[in-house]
Amino acid sequence: MRKLLVLAGALLIALPAVATAKTKKPVKRQPPQQIACTVIGCVPVPPGCGQTPGRTWSGMPTGGDVIVCPPGVAPFR
């Protein structure tokens, strides 16, 4: 009788672990997100866009980045 109770207790402990192990889904790795430090602050670069150093009209660097998106890509929604 004691062996039966020990076996039942072990099954009660093991069953939830087995049930959760089967339901886990593989996690997709996402690429690290780029951060552009613009004149308004540091913001994430939207997917499909890039960043370039900012320059004044005379060509001097501003110290901030500029987010550049190809035509048809909305940078912020």
Side-chain angles (χ1 to χ4, degrees):
M1 183 71 181
R2 182 177 170 104
K3 288 182 182 180
L4 183 63
L5 288 175
V6 170
L7 181 62
L11 284 175
L12 287 175
I13 293 171
L15 282 178
V18 171
T20 57
K22 291 181 180 178
T23 59
K24 288 185 180 179
K25 296 181 182 177
V27 178
K28 268 188 161 179
R29 286 205 155 200
Q30 294 182 349
Q33 192 169 11
Q34 289 183 328
I35 302 293
C37 291
T38 64
V39 293
I40 60 169
C42 293
V43 295
V45 177
C49 299
Q51 65 190 37
T52 184
R55 300 213 175 257
T56 62
W57 289 106
S58 65
M60 296 293 293
T62 62
D65 294 328
V66 176
I67 297 175
V68 181
C69 295
V73 176
F76 299 105
R77 294 180 187 176

